[in-house]
Amino acid sequence: MAVDAKSLIGSQAKPHHEMEAEELRKEHLLLDPMPREEMNQMVMDAMQTTTPRYWAFVIGFGLAVVVLLFGAWGYMIATGMGVAGIRRPVYWGIFIVSFVFWIGISHAGTFVSAILRVFKAEFRRPFTRAAELMTTFGLAAGALYPLIHLGRVWVFYWMIPYPNSRWLWPNFRSPLVWDFLAITTYLLSSTIYLFLPLIPDLAMARDRSKGWRYYLYRTLSLGWRGTEAEWFRLRKAIGIFAFAIIPVMFSVHTIVSWDFAVSMVAGWQSTIFGPYFIIGAILSGVSAVVTILYILRTTMKNFDYFIRPEVFDGLGKLILIFSMSWAYFFFNEYLLNWYGGTAVIKKILTLHATGPSAWVWYVMLICNVAIPWLFLWSKKVRRTPWLMFIITLLVNVGMFAERYTIIPLTLGHQRSPFDWGIYNPTIIEVSIVLGTLCLFIFLYLLASRIIPLIPVWEVQEGQMSHTLRKVGKTTMPSVTELE
Amino acid sequence: MDTNVRMILFKEDQIDHAAEAIETLHTQGIPEKDISVISGVPFSEKILGRPMSWTRVPQIALAGAFVGFLAASLLNFLTPNLYRMTVGGLPLTPIPTSIVVTFELTMLGLLISTFIGVFIETISPSYGPKGYHPKISDGYIGILFRCPTNVDEKTCLELQDLGAEIVNPAEVKQP
Amino acid sequence: MAENQNNEKWGMVIDLDICTGCQACVTACSMENNIHFVGEDEMAYGRGLQWMRIRRYWEGEYPEVKPTHEPMLCQQCGNAPCESVCPVFASVHSEQEQINLQVYNRCIGTRYCANNCPYLARTFNWFDYELPSPMNAYLNPDVSVRSRGVMEKCTFCVQRIVKGRQKASAEGREIQDGEVTPACAQACPTESITFGRLDDPESRVSRLARNDRGFRELEELGTEPRVTYLKGGMSYGG
C-alpha cells in the first residue's frame, strides 16, 4: 500500500487562522484585492479581445435578427396579422406573452443594482453592470412588442401624446397608454442608471485606449477626472436613482399586469395580479442574470476572478426565496378561484390542468416550483455554475409557460362555450419571438466589447472596505462603511 | 504672487499619507480652494480632511419631478376636455386612472432631471486647479494644488518625504 | 359629439322562441355592411368576420336532441367595457344614438376591445380580403370597406339610422316607429328581431322588452346591454 500516512499535525503547515484567511480570500472577491492597475488591465483585455468564435456569433445572431425578426415582421406588416395564429377568441397570443416575458427579464438589472445596492448587499458589486445591461436590452426587446402586435403599426404614434390639429389625445384611461408611459419611463431611467456608474469606468477605458475607442470613451465620459465634486455629485445622483427606480420598477410590471387585471376577461379580474407579476418578474430576471453571468464567466477573459461561485450562491438563495414567493401568490389565486370562484373560472382552472394544453401548466409548475425547491437548497448545487445555468434556464422556460397559461389559454375559454377556441402559434410568430431573443443576445454581444462589463471602481471600493480581522481564534471578514 | 500648479500622486493604499500631505499643504498656507483631489474611487471628504463638496442635483431633481407632475396633470385633466368623448360609463377625468399617469410622469421628470443636473454640473466650469493623469484611473490618489513659487521646493521636498510621487508639470494632462 | 335635446336610444329585441336559426340575418348583415368573405379554412380557425352569429347549442339526449339558436351581436352596451380600454379612442359611445361606435380610421389594431368584450362580439380584419371586380359592384356605398388591421362589429346599421333621421328631419317630422330597420330585422323570415327606440316607452321594441319572457345576456356584469332576448321555453309553445 503506497499510502502516505500524513500526520495530522504535520499537514497543517500554516497556522489555522491563516488557512482560513486564504480560503476566505479565494471565496470572496472583495477579500481578494488586486492592484487596481491589474484589474483595469483584466477588464480592458476582456473588452478588447475578439476571437473568430465571437465574430461568428455576432454575425450569426445579427443575421438571425434580420431574418427572423425584421424579415418575418415585415412580412406580417405587409400581409396582415392573419399570418399569426391569433384568432377569435384568443386575440392576444404569443406576442403579448413575450412582451410580458421581456419586461419581466428587465427587472433583473434594477433588482441587482438598485435593491441590492440599497440593502448594501456587497456581493452585488461585480455584476451590477451586466445586470443593468440586461434591463436595457430586455426593455429594448420588450418595447418592440406593443408595436409588433398592432394591426396597423404604421399609425402607432397615435398612442403618443402630442398636440395635433384635431385636438385628439390618447385615452389616458386605457392601460395600454399607461404601458407606453411606464415603459418609456423605465427604459430611459434604466439607460441613465446604466450610464451614471459607467462614467468612471469609461474614463478608465479612455485612458487606456487608442483610435476610435479613445474618441468614443472621451466623449461619453464627459471629461471625468475624479474630483471630489464629481464623485459627490455622482454619488448623490446614483443614490436618487437607486431609491427612485425601485418604485418605477414595481409600477412598470404592475401596469403591465393591469392590461389584464382591469379587463372583464374571466380569470383575469384578479387583484393579486400586480404583486404576482412583480414577483414573477423578479424571479425571471434574477434567473436570467445567473444565466448571463455563467455565459460571461466562461466566455470572457479574466472574468472568473470577478464572478466567483459566491455570486451564484447568493443569487441562488434569492431565486429560491422568490420561487417560494411566486408559489405563494400562485396558490393564493388558485385556491380562491377553485374554492369559491364562478363557474367560468372553475372551468378555466380545470382546463389549465387537464385540457389539451395542460402540459404548459405542468411545465410551469415543474420549472418554477419543483426544480428550484428540489435543487437550490443544496449549497453545493448553488455553487456549481453550470448547474445554476441549467436550473435558471428552466426557471425562465417555466415563467414563459406561466404567461402562456395566463394569456392564450385563459382567453380561449371564456363565458360562452360556443366561442371557445384553441390557439395555435404559427411559424411567423415563433420566428418573431426567437428574433427578439436573438436581438437581445446580439446587442449584449456588441455591448460586451464596447463598454467594460465590470464596474472596477465599485469592486475596488468594496475591496477597500473589506478586511480580514482576527476575532478570537479565527479570521473573519469585516466591512468598513467608507461612505 | 506667482503660483505653479503641481500634482502629486499617492498609491491607492496610502490614504493616510495622502491625508497627511493635505495637512502639510494647509500648514504651508495653501487655501482649500487652491487644492483639488482626484481619485479613481470615491473617498469621503472627511477621510482626507477636506471641506464637503456641494451639488445642486437633488434640487434639480425635485424641480424636474414637479415639472413631470405638471405635465401629467395637464395630460390627465386638460386633454380629455379638448375633445370630449364618452367611453364605457367612466367619467371624463377619473382620478384613479390619473394617479397612474401622474406617478409615471413624475418619476420620469425626477430621473431625467437628475441626469440633466449631473450633466450640466459636469460641463459647467469648476474651481480648483485643472489637470489629470491617467494613473488616477489606476487607483492612485492625486492632489493638485497651486503652490506659491517661493515655497515650491520646500513643499515638494516635504511631500516627497511622505511618499508622494511628484508629477512633472509637462506630464500633467487634461482628461 | 353634438348633444341633441332628443337623444335617441336605439335597442333591439330578439324572440328566441320564434328564431329558427336560418342565418338569414347573418347573410343580410354581411351584405349590408360589406363584410368580407374569409374562406373555409379561415372560418374553421375562428376568423370569420360576421358581425352577427347564431350560437347553436345542442340540448338533450339522442333521440330527443334539440338545437337552441341564439343570434349574438354587439349588445351596444350602455356601460361598454370595450370603450374604456381603447388607447386611441377608436371605440366611443355615441351621444346621439346611445350605441357603441367603432371608428375604423382611428383604430390601430391593439385588439384590447375584442378581449374585453364579454360577448366576444367584435371581429378583426386579419388580412386585406380581395374582391375581384365585378364582384365589388355589390358593395354598399353607405358603409366603409375596412382595411387590414382594423376592428369591426355590429353598428345597429347606423347608416340606416342616420338615413332615417335625415329623411325625417327633411320632411319636418319625428322618426316613426318601425321606419328604421337594420338589415337583420329586415331579412328575418319569422320577424323575431324587433328594432326601435327604447327611449319611447310606447314603441314596439320597448313594449316587447318589458315582456315577462325577457332577459339580457350577462346582465350581472353591469354592461347594460341594449338587446333583450325573449325566451319562454316549452311552456310558451316554443
Side-chain angles (χ1 to χ4, degrees), chain A residues 236-249:
Chain A
K236 269 271 179 303
I238 292 180
I240 295 178
F241 261 87
F243 277 98
I245 211 169
I246 297 174
V248 172
M249 161 187 134

Side-chain angles (χ1 to χ4, degrees), chain A residues 76-92 149-156 158-159 168-171 173-177 258-260 262-265 268 411 414-419 422-425, chain C residues 42 44-48 50 53-57 72 79 81 83-89 104-112 114-128 147-151 218 221-223:
Chain A
M76 194 171 75
I77 295 180
T79 319
M81 292 300 293
V83 299
I86 33 185
R87 51 163 289 179
R88 187 173 180 257
V90 184
Y91 283 99
W92 281 349
H149 97 291
L150 284 185
R152 291 206 299 166
V153 66
W154 48 94
V155 284
F156 79 95
W158 288 344
M159 271 201 291
L168 278 176
W169 294 77
N171 178 11
R173 292 163 279 187
S174 165
L176 294 183
V177 177
W258 285 343
D259 283 348
F260 312 113
V262 303
S263 74
M264 273 210 177
V265 175
W268 280 6
L411 279 177
Q414 286 299 298
R415 295 176 178 89
S416 153
F418 185 78
D419 298 313
I422 296 187
Y423 161 70
N424 295 323
Chain C
E42 289 278 285
Y45 192 53
R47 291 225 181 122
Q50 286 75 26
R53 65 190 186 278
I54 308 289
R55 285 197 200 155
R56 185 263 303 123
Y57 292 107
M72 176 48 73
N79 204 355
E83 291 169 1
S84 32
V85 292
C86 177
V88 287
F89 285 123
Y104 305 127
N105 37 4
R106 180 73 174 167
C107 175
I108 59 175
T110 58
R111 305 182 299 286
Y112 202 162
N115 279 332
N116 214 18
C117 174
Y119 308 100
L120 291 168
R122 287 171 156 269
T123 58
F124 182 73
N125 284 279
W126 302 104
F127 296 107
D128 276 324
S147 77
R148 68 179 190 279
V150 167
M151 298 293 310
L218 296 177
L221 293 179
T223 50

Side-chain angles (χ1 to χ4, degrees), chain B residues 38-54:
Chain B
I38 50 180
S39 58
V41 276
F43 288 106
S44 167
E45 287 83 343
K46 294 195 211 115
I47 296 180
L48 296 170
R50 296 267 297 149
M52 293 299 283
S53 327
W54 64 271

